Amino acid sequence: MDVLSFVEKALNVRAFNHKVLAGNITHVETPNYKEKEVDFKQALERQMAGLKNIEIQEKTESDGMGSVDGNTVNMEVQMVKMNENSMMYNALIQIISKKFSMMRYMISEGRR
């Protein structure tokens, strides 16, 4: 598998994970809402195997103090996860940009 295909699949999983995290933040005050998360490694393996759907896991227990209303979303944890996901997404964008830059250089050097 080439780098571009791998990075494309990783970007798809990161983008999907961003939507899941944004959904968690949206429902931070919704009673009985259970935090949802994506196992990146498992999701990427499924993408590499040709499976298109990404499984979302529901977390039934909170990371810290439990909420009285049954909500398991911790806003601070979600913000950390979203920042981590954004940094990894940006790293993947840099990888693909470097790959295209190298390809452009090789093509332009061939004209000399």
Side-chain angles (χ1 to χ4, degrees):
M1 175 169 283
D2 65 303
V3 172
L4 293 178
S5 179
F6 176 79
V7 172
E8 176 192 6
K9 290 176 180 13
L11 283 171
N12 287 339
V13 174
R14 289 288 174 197
F16 187 80
N17 192 30
H18 188 84
K19 289 180 186 176
V20 170
L21 293 170
N24 286 340
I25 291 171
T26 300
H27 293 284
V28 72
E29 294 184 4
T30 303
N32 296 319
Y33 181 81
K34 305 298 179 205
E35 176 186 341
K36 312 241 181 326
E37 64 184 3
V38 173
D39 182 345
F40 179 77
K41 183 178 177 185
Q42 180 186 40
L44 186 57
E45 287 174 354
R46 290 177 57 86
Q47 291 278 308
M48 300 295 277
L51 301 171
K52 297 292 180 194
N53 62 336
I54 298 173
E55 291 183 11
I56 300 174
Q57 299 165 351
E58 191 171 89
K59 205 169 176 182
T60 55
E61 295 183 18
S62 65
D63 287 333
M65 294 177 44
S67 176
V68 177
D69 62 2
N71 187 315
T72 61
V73 177
N74 181 322
M75 183 65 138
E76 289 81 21
V77 171
Q78 296 304 304
M79 294 304 292
V80 169
K81 286 180 179 180
M82 186 170 271
N83 280 336
E84 177 189 357
N85 193 57
S86 294
M87 287 190 309
M88 298 304 283
Y89 186 90
N90 288 335
L92 290 167
I93 293 293
Q94 287 181 356
I95 289 170
I96 206 163
S97 293
K98 290 285 183 188
K99 181 76 175 171
F100 283 130
S101 177
M102 288 176 60
M103 290 171 68
R104 191 176 317 118
Y105 176 76
M106 290 184 340
I107 291 170
S108 66
E109 286 296 310
R111 292 183 187 164
R112 291 184 181 192

